[in-house]
Amino acid sequence: MKNDRVAVYPGTFDPITFGHLDIIERAVKLFDKVIVAIAVNKNKSALFDVDERKMMIEKSITHLNNVEVVTFQGLSARFSEKMKAIALIRGLRAVSDFEYEFQMALINRKIGKNTETVFLMPTEKNTYLSSSVVREIASFHGDVSHFVPEYVKLRLEEKFKK
């Protein structure tokens, strides 16, 4: 539809967590379509390749019908404009996230003049969650079932088999 309110939620999602899902579920209530955009950065090494991350996200959002999962390279603001998005979604877990995200929002405003940054906060139980923390717990064979969907948990266990 021509006047759909589209939002882009960019990230590496390595792996997707309940915190990410919390933000996606909040965003779908505000926008007609949410594009979860997996950033591909060849200068960073990821635990999961982009196809694995895409599959984990798709399996985690089957209950949502106005979400699309795509991959992109380059600047989030340019990608958002290409997708004709009106908003770039960013999650704020704590005050410590705000300074960096505020700077990025100002930069993105310069690059993508037609896209606003919208900050969404997860529920309190997800404020401490990050993909890096989940990866670390999984690498020591800890239980990550409280942090990620079952399919993601199984994929982490496969990655860190002894």
Side-chain angles (χ1 to χ4, degrees):
M1 202 177 250
K2 196 170 195 169
N3 292 329
D4 278 352
R5 295 169 304 153
V6 176
V8 170
Y9 180 29
T12 53
F13 307 103
D14 186 35
I16 191 164
T17 69
F18 286 140
H20 295 124
L21 291 170
D22 190 355
I23 297 297
I24 294 167
E25 289 169 354
R26 289 170 189 282
V28 298
K29 294 175 186 172
L30 301 172
F31 299 96
D32 299 316
K33 179 179 181 181
V34 174
I35 300 170
V36 177
I38 305 167
V40 179
N41 185 342
K42 293 180 181 170
N43 297 327
K44 287 186 175 180
S45 61
L47 177 62
F48 294 100
D49 69 35
V50 69
D51 292 328
E52 291 173 307
R53 288 182 274 160
K54 187 171 191 240
M55 175 67 74
M56 285 188 286
I57 295 168
E58 288 172 342
K59 286 189 175 287
S60 300
I61 61 164
T62 56
H63 62 292
L64 303 170
N65 56 8
N66 56 335
V67 181
E68 178 182 0
V69 183
V70 300
T71 62
F72 79 101
Q73 288 184 322
L75 300 172
S76 299
R78 285 196 183 141
F79 178 75
S80 294
E81 290 222 316
K82 180 181 171 188
M83 296 292 101
K84 298 184 178 11
I86 62 167
L88 193 61
I89 302 294
R90 299 300 297 162
L92 287 179
R93 293 174 296 199
V95 174
S96 57
D97 289 344
F98 181 76
E99 187 172 347
Y100 171 78
E101 292 294 347
F102 181 70
Q103 289 174 331
M104 291 306 300
L106 293 174
I107 290 167
N108 287 334
R109 186 182 290 165
K110 289 279 188 202
I111 296 168
K113 294 178 179 15
N114 296 319
T115 307
E116 289 294 332
T117 299
V118 174
F119 297 112
L120 296 176
M121 298 180 338
T123 58
E124 295 81 16
K125 70 179 183 175
N126 292 317
T127 55
Y128 61 88
L129 258 181
S130 71
S131 294
S132 56
V133 168
V134 169
R135 288 192 308 269
E136 185 170 355
I137 293 168
S139 74
F140 289 106
H141 308 286
D143 180 14
V144 295
S145 60
H146 297 291
F147 313 125
V148 297
E150 181 66 19
Y151 178 77
V152 177
K153 174 184 168 270
L154 295 173
R155 295 303 322 259
L156 282 161
E157 289 172 352
E158 285 176 25
K159 284 283 183 185
F160 292 112
K161 275 185 180 173
K162 289 184 180 179

